[in-house]
Amino acid sequence: MTITKTQRDILGSSALRPDGVSKVQGDFAFSSDLHAENMLWGATLRSPHPYARIISIDLSGAWKIAGVECVITAEDVPGQLTYGLISEDQPVFAKDFVRYMGEPVAAVAADHPETCRRALAAIVVVYEVLTPLTNPEHAIDEAREPIHPDGNIIRRQQIIHGDVNATAPIVVEGTYDIGMQDQAFLGTESALAIPDHDGAGIEVFVATQWLHEDRKQMAKCLALPEEKVRLVLGGVGGAFGAREDISLQVHTALLAMRTSRPVKMQYGREESFFGHVHRHPAQIWMRHHANTDGRIVKIEARFVFDGGAYSSTSSAVLINGVTHTQGPYQCPNAIVDGYAVRTNNPPCGAMRGFGVVQACFAHEGQMDKLAVATGIDEVEIRLRNIIHTGDTMITGQVLESVAPLERCIRETAAMPLPREMEAHPHELDLPGGSGRTADRRNIVRGIGWGVSMKNLMYSEGFDDYSTARCTLTNGSVELKFATSEVGQGFVTLAPQIARSVLGVDNVTYDTIDTQIGSAGSTSASRQTWMSGGAVDGACRMVRERLFEHVGALHGIDPLRLAIDDTDVVDTIGSLRITVQEASTNFTVSETFEYHHRPTQDLDDNGQGNCHVAFAFVAHRAVVDVDVELGLVKVVQIATAQDVGRVLNPMSVIGQIEGGIAQGLGLAVMEEIIVTNGIVRNPSFTDYLLPTALDAPQVLISMIEEPDPQAPMGAKGVGEAPCISVTPAIVAAIRNATGKSIDRCPVRPQDICF
Amino acid sequence: MSELEHYTLTINGEDRHVSDAWIGESLLYVLRERLGLPGSKGACEQGECGSCTVYVDNAAVCSCLIMAATAVGTQIATVEGLNQDGSLTDVQQAFVSEGAVQCGFCTPGLVMAVHHLLDHNETPNEQEIKEALSGNICRCTGYGRIFAAVDSVISIRKSTAS
Ligand code: FES
Ligand code: FES
């Protein structure tokens, strides 16, 4: 992909990251790099059992260790004992029961991480070990007592649409299993909490996706008014959903308040696996009824999402799953039943794709089965069914978004296929790579498809607004927002917007913190649309004020003024002055709150306008499989993605390539293995992530059809890349092997046995 | 803690004294927490991710796996020492301009790995590049822009050499 650089770093240019230089020099302060005078280290004691009653906790051994300054448990939580994003069902510290392996039980603060480790080892917790509930079906059938006062079913949602008795000559069905994926951001959870001198408040530097939501939950648990909890974004080393829930925030703040000293907490990699929620493992059954021409007549489906011990965002993930049952295809009739349930497995919540990844894996498997059953080619069957703007979805909602799906599929199909594998390939080009034993003679190539649609922003009536302030003075702009920069590049985009709207070049942004209104979460592909919309709105307000100022000075109606490049110009007269000059000794500051259009809850039949907007994408995967050893190499991914409008080509490409790698991980290597509630592989040694050697060739087409609903016409691009790439790769493996593989990740045994 | 140690490490050409350190501290910990050199990152502390890459006597190693006290007498180089005048090396510049940086947590380690590769092999082919970087995990980029950065350094070096 060649990237052309334009002159000014405005919208449409591949402006460079403002934090790029400090990041390559190792200067950029990640939250884990922060220090404070007189700082203590914090650490967390976690349950070794997936389900147990706490009989007693003896902290005396820890208190006796020199250097230990504080030891706390549930007894020490001054405010609300539980927290949560949607329902507050998760204890800050376990009190009577532990419900998952790794649940926090106590925390310590001490002078050195090693002292902390010894203090944790000296705490004696007596547990009565109970039989964990680990099969999600047993959470549904009520064969087991509830493992939580809120019950074992977090949410059930049905969708009943059209004629439920409709049928058609072709019927295909399948049961699909999706494994538990970890976000595996590189910068583990970390925070530095600094108590106010008067003890009445606290400042917390933390790597998070949503400062204001963290603050709300923390204030409740700490029994502080929200304005006494000030959050500042510590540098964030990736997020992908794993920082949507709070993890160490309350613990760190509490230790700092108790000791009246700054406290830093940082999880190691193993602890990080227990410290955040994961992608829901799910089992999805689908039955598609279609005419002989391949057109879908009805879909029946059942979803079971394993939410683990606490609810996190499970209820919203469920809604995303069931409402995307049809995928990007027309479907007049549907009966869907979906559950998100509570078990003693690790809690699951947000991860890039949020419920749609799971639904897509199932509906794309079904499309391939439909192709076989009808004898129609897998591209053609998709084209025949695609959804268009104006179509009614199974929720009764009319699709209003621009939907260039046909272009996505056709442009993907038109991309060149990779060369055939050479007769004597380099061993690194073989499945399994270096040092493995893949044999050229056993390698079979396969091609597979995946197509998807993904909702953007929050759903079901939630007003996830964003706030931004723009201050123009002497030709320079300073922006202020609370938008979490997690690596996606909002700090690159926001100044681009200001440069385009205001004709300035010098744009900076202030500290990202809670000293301005909420920006909502960096999730759901929403920040370009929402916080981009807020920055755009604030800059436009400032521009109006600037025009009024210039108009008054020159006796011109401000409505005649416009920005041309870096000048203010009179559109029907001769005035042309630089913005720099026009704003000399002039300061104006405006704050704008951007709200997306309102949405609705679903009713009991799953009907309602619950989503804001949608984006579309197609993926074609080419894989080489060693059928003898069950090893897979993803050779090439071709993709065309509906992006609305490209605001920064290099950033969009980065999101697409990065998302594809994560989808590839879910397809062939990434899975948290849990047996009887015990996590078996909480390390980078045993939880495999794609490396440079696993990176396929990626061919990209960015489909630009600006969406009139979107500020600047641009759709969020973060999630779409990782959704249908997984089913495309698995379809390619099926194509190569002839095996019906209905689970991901695909393991060697799924291929060879 | 008891068992405290004092020793001197040579880092980026300078002698740096470490006092009152626990013997079990890794080189990564000592660099970051005792010597004010947080450029090396810890993402796994298990030798799997490469974000802590430094050079010890010109070998690229995972600083999380080395006890600091055992590095006495070696020449240690960290990302902070790549260009001490504050300017960017060609590799750093290429990472910025080719979009190889997103969250940036993997970046210092990758910059060290790329320099190491190109110091030992001026014209690596695709497989050699991939193999050399396969010990450095990047979760954000999918590696595409990182390969673009490496390619750009190789071609710029080639054209300035000729
Ligand atoms: S922190 Fe050293 S290899 Fe990961
Ligand atoms: S840029 Fe985030 S891990 Fe590489």
Side-chain angles (χ1 to χ4, degrees):
Chain A
M1 200 89 212
T2 40
I3 290 160
T4 40
K5 309 226 155 88
T6 56
Q7 295 270 293
R8 292 181 61 223
D9 289 336
I10 54 173
L11 291 177
S13 77
S14 282
L16 302 180
R17 296 189 69 94
D19 55 11
V21 169
S22 66
K23 283 177 173 174
V24 294
Q25 291 185 314
D27 259 4
F28 178 83
F30 289 94
S31 56
S32 51
D33 297 331
L34 301 175
H35 263 268
E37 236 0 80
N38 202 27
M39 177 184 98
L40 296 168
W41 290 87
T44 317
L45 181 71
R46 294 173 181 276
S47 164
H49 308 295
Y51 192 32
R53 191 190 311 274
I54 298 177
I55 306 294
S56 64
I57 305 178
D58 180 1
L59 306 175
S60 58
W63 279 111
K64 280 187 207 131
I65 293 172
V68 172
E69 298 291 333
C70 191
V71 189
I72 54 173
T73 64
E75 305 293 322
D76 302 287
V77 177
Q80 190 169 289
L81 297 179
T82 56
Y83 67 93
L85 271 166
I86 295 175
S87 114
E88 293 159 331
D89 68 346
Q90 182 155 6
V92 174
F93 291 110
K95 201 165 169 330
D96 307 315
F97 291 92
V98 288
R99 297 189 180 86
Y100 71 95
M101 179 191 183
E103 180 159 1
V105 175
V108 300
D111 59 358
H112 191 283
E114 175 61 16
T115 317
C116 289
R117 195 192 60 77
R118 292 176 191 187
L120 296 182
I123 296 174
V124 181
V125 185
V126 178
Y127 294 100
E128 178 197 342
V129 176
L130 304 169
T131 308
L133 166 57
T134 57
N135 182 341
E137 291 296 343
H138 293 161
I140 297 170
D141 66 19
E142 294 182 358
R144 285 279 307 254
E145 287 292 299
I147 56 168
H148 187 283
D150 293 355
N152 290 346
I153 294 179
I154 295 169
R155 183 170 176 180
R156 180 182 185 191
Q157 178 68 54
Q158 293 176 294
I159 296 179
I160 308 215
H161 185 77
D163 174 7
V164 295
N165 297 316
T167 187
I170 310 272
V171 178
V172 292
E173 69 177 276
T175 301
Y176 302 88
D177 287 287
I178 296 94
M180 185 187 291
Q181 190 180 18
D182 189 57
Q183 299 84 348
F185 46 46
L186 272 214
T188 54
E189 293 83 349
S190 55
L192 171 66
I194 305 176
D196 292 353
H197 290 302
D198 61 6
I202 191 150
E203 185 160 51
V204 184
F205 297 81
V206 62
T208 179
Q209 289 175 228
W210 189 357
L211 291 162
H212 286 74
E213 175 64 28
D214 282 12
R215 178 173 75 163
K216 185 175 100 195
Q217 295 181 47
M218 290 170 71
K220 277 193 192 172
C221 297
L222 297 169
L224 289 174
E226 278 190 28
E227 61 275 13
K228 288 290 177 190
V229 181
R230 294 182 311 282
L231 260 65
V232 185
L233 188 69
V236 185
F240 317 116
R243 300 186 207 269
E244 191 140 286
D245 295 76
I246 64 173
S247 52
L248 42 57
Q249 283 86 331
V250 178
H251 301 157
T252 316
L254 204 48
L255 289 168
M257 296 194 67
R258 276 305 183 91
T259 56
S260 303
R261 286 171 69 175
V263 173
K264 175 169 165 174
M265 258 199 180
Q266 181 185 344
Y267 291 171
R269 178 55 56 185
E270 178 171 347
E271 186 169 22
S272 180
F273 272 95
F274 295 103
H276 61 249
V277 299
H278 311 290
R279 185 188 302 290
H280 288 77
Q283 186 167 79
I284 303 169
W285 168 82
M286 283 192 186
R287 181 190 284 153
H288 281 52
H289 303 246
N291 287 325
T292 47
D293 65 359
R295 288 182 169 272
I296 297 167
V297 171
K298 185 174 78 172
I299 303 176
E300 298 167 82
R302 180 175 183 268
F303 288 71
V304 180
F305 285 97
D306 183 353
Y310 297 104
S311 62
S312 176
T313 48
S314 285
S315 59
V317 168
L318 170 70
I319 290 316
N320 262 17
V322 295
T323 58
H324 287 76
T325 299
Q326 70 193 103
Y329 309 111
Q330 298 171 32
C331 172
N333 309 297
I335 325 174
V336 183
D337 197 4
Y339 292 89
V341 300
R342 192 188 306 276
T343 65
N344 294 116
N345 292 323
C348 289
M351 182 174 175
R352 197 174 193 175
F354 203 81
V356 182
V357 165
Q358 293 90 332
C360 180
F361 186 70
H363 69 62
E364 287 307 274
Q366 287 291 99
M367 292 311 283
D368 287 344
K369 290 193 170 126
L370 214 47
V372 172
T374 54
I376 300 168
D377 147 283
E378 73 261 82
V379 175
E380 178 58 26
I381 191 115
R382 288 173 166 86
L383 285 169
R384 282 193 195 173
N385 282 289
I386 52 173
I387 198 162
H388 301 97
T389 308
D391 286 348
T392 301
M393 296 177 278
I394 60 170
T395 53
Q397 178 168 2
V398 174
L399 177 66
E400 287 180 21
S401 296
V402 173
L405 192 54
E406 183 169 347
R407 277 186 68 192
C408 290
I409 297 174
R410 290 200 190 281
E411 291 202 17
T412 302
M415 290 183 197
L417 286 163
R419 307 191 290 278
E420 287 299 309
M421 182 179 266
E422 290 156 27
H424 302 286
H426 191 288
E427 64 169 357
L428 291 180
D429 290 337
L430 291 169
S434 161
R436 301 292 182 89
T437 46
D439 186 330
R440 173 70 183 87
R441 285 165 303 179
N442 296 326
I443 311 274
V444 188
R445 182 158 284 188
I447 301 179
W449 277 82
V451 183
S452 55
M453 72 192 261
K454 170 72 185 54
N455 63 316
L456 310 173
M457 280 72 73
Y458 283 19
S459 305
E460 290 193 283
F462 196 85
D463 181 18
D464 48 314
Y465 67 93
S466 181
T467 319
R469 186 166 67 231
C470 170
T471 306
L472 169 69
T473 184
N474 292 321
S476 295
V477 162
E478 187 182 68
L479 300 172
K480 173 87 183 174
F481 42 79
T483 310
S484 275
E485 170 60 45
V486 302
Q488 85 278 28
F490 188 72
V491 295
T492 318
L493 176 65
Q496 286 181 264
I497 297 170
R499 289 185 199 105
S500 284
V501 175
L502 283 164
V504 293
D505 281 323
N506 182 23
V507 183
T508 54
Y509 55 93
D510 192 18
T511 309
I512 299 171
D513 59 21
T514 48
Q515 305 298 312
I516 184 170
S518 177
S521 175
T522 296
S523 59
S525 302
R526 61 179 290 289
Q527 290 296 18
T528 292
W529 186 308
M530 299 302 300
S531 290
V535 168
D536 184 55
C539 292
R540 284 170 189 276
M541 286 169 76
V542 164
R543 187 173 65 185
E544 266 178 49
R545 298 279 306 279
L546 176 69
F547 289 167
E548 286 161 17
H549 169 69
V550 173
L553 276 182
H554 295 86
I556 297 175
D557 180 352
L559 289 176
R560 284 170 40 182
L561 298 174
I563 298 284
D564 178 34
D565 196 23
T566 55
D567 297 333
V568 179
V569 296
D570 181 356
T571 48
I572 52 173
S574 59
L575 179 80
R576 174 179 283 271
I577 52 170
T578 62
V579 173
Q580 166 82 44
E581 195 186 332
S583 63
T584 301
N585 298 324
F586 173 76
T587 300
V588 53
S589 186
E590 294 287 355
T591 302
F592 187 81
E593 230 175 59
Y594 182 88
H595 297 256
H596 59 66
R597 70 183 180 84
T599 58
Q600 299 169 340
D601 280 336
L602 293 178
D603 66 17
D604 288 347
N605 289 332
Q607 301 299 293
N609 295 318
C610 73
H611 295 307
V612 180
F614 295 88
F616 303 84
V617 65
H619 292 99
R620 184 193 66 201
V622 178
V623 303
D624 283 338
V625 183
D626 183 318
V627 288
E628 190 79 342
L629 296 172
L631 298 172
V632 178
K633 176 160 183 83
V634 182
V635 178
Q636 184 201 61
I637 301 293
T639 181
Q641 184 173 329
D642 155 41
V643 300
R645 180 179 161 210
V646 180
L647 303 182
N648 183 318
M650 194 157 73
S651 291
V652 174
I653 290 166
Q655 287 297 310
I656 291 176
E657 290 174 338
I660 283 173
Q662 290 185 0
L664 181 155
L666 179 60
V668 293
M669 60 181 83
E670 291 184 39
E671 184 172 16
I672 298 182
I673 314 272
V674 184
T675 46
N676 284 328
I678 305 283
V679 177
R680 298 293 180 188
N681 56 343
S683 77
F684 278 0
T685 308
D686 298 318
Y687 183 90
L688 300 183
L689 292 162
T691 71
L693 280 170
D694 302 303
Q697 179 193 31
V698 177
L699 306 177
I700 299 170
S701 168
M702 296 177 274
I703 308 283
E704 288 194 85
E705 291 192 12
D707 194 313
Q709 287 189 18
M712 306 169 286
K715 293 182 178 179
V717 300
E719 290 175 291
C722 78
I723 293 173
S724 38
V725 69
T726 307
I729 292 168
V730 176
I733 298 170
R734 281 188 214 115
N735 176 247
T737 61
K739 302 238 170 198
S740 72
I741 300 167
D742 288 339
R743 69 104 62 197
C744 66
V746 178
R747 304 157 299 188
Q749 63 264 39
D750 300 319
I751 294 171
C752 357
F753 300 123
Chain B
M1 257 177 305
S2 48
E3 341 98 0
L4 297 181
E5 302 289 323
H6 311 278
Y7 50 88
T8 299
L9 299 175
T10 312
I11 300 168
N12 302 328
E14 245 179 79
D15 279 353
R16 301 290 305 268
H17 193 64
V18 179
S19 47
D20 299 333
W22 173 54
I23 187 77
E25 288 170 8
S26 68
L27 178 57
L28 176 65
Y29 181 88
V30 169
L31 291 171
R32 291 176 50 78
E33 308 297 342
R34 294 196 178 274
L35 299 176
L37 295 168
S40 310
K41 306 296 173 198
C44 73
E45 303 194 35
Q46 215 176 21
E48 294 288 348
C49 75
S51 42
C52 62
T53 304
V54 301
Y55 308 145
V56 174
D57 290 337
N58 291 320
V61 299
C62 297
S63 61
C64 68
L65 292 182
I66 299 178
M67 265 167 66
T70 65
V72 170
T74 63
Q75 293 291 330
I76 300 162
T78 72
V79 68
E80 287 91 346
L82 278 179
N83 233 354
Q84 303 208 352
D85 63 2
S87 65
L88 299 185
T89 65
D90 56 354
V91 173
Q92 288 172 318
Q93 182 57 54
F95 266 62
V96 175
S97 43
E98 297 298 326
V101 181
Q102 287 187 28
C103 83
F105 206 85
C106 66
T107 307
L110 268 157
V111 165
M112 295 295 277
V114 172
H115 270 298
H116 192 258
L117 164 69
L118 299 181
D119 285 351
H120 293 85
N121 182 351
E122 284 174 20
T123 51
N125 62 27
E126 188 186 326
Q127 281 104 352
E128 287 168 332
I129 294 169
K130 288 190 165 181
E131 188 166 31
L133 303 188
S134 65
N136 291 74
I137 290 173
C138 173
R139 188 56 157 165
C140 299
T141 65
Y143 307 100
R145 299 306 93 202
I146 293 169
F147 298 147
V150 177
D151 291 345
S152 119
V153 175
I154 294 170
S155 66
I156 291 173
R157 283 191 188 182
K158 244 192 230 156
S159 65
T160 47
S162 60

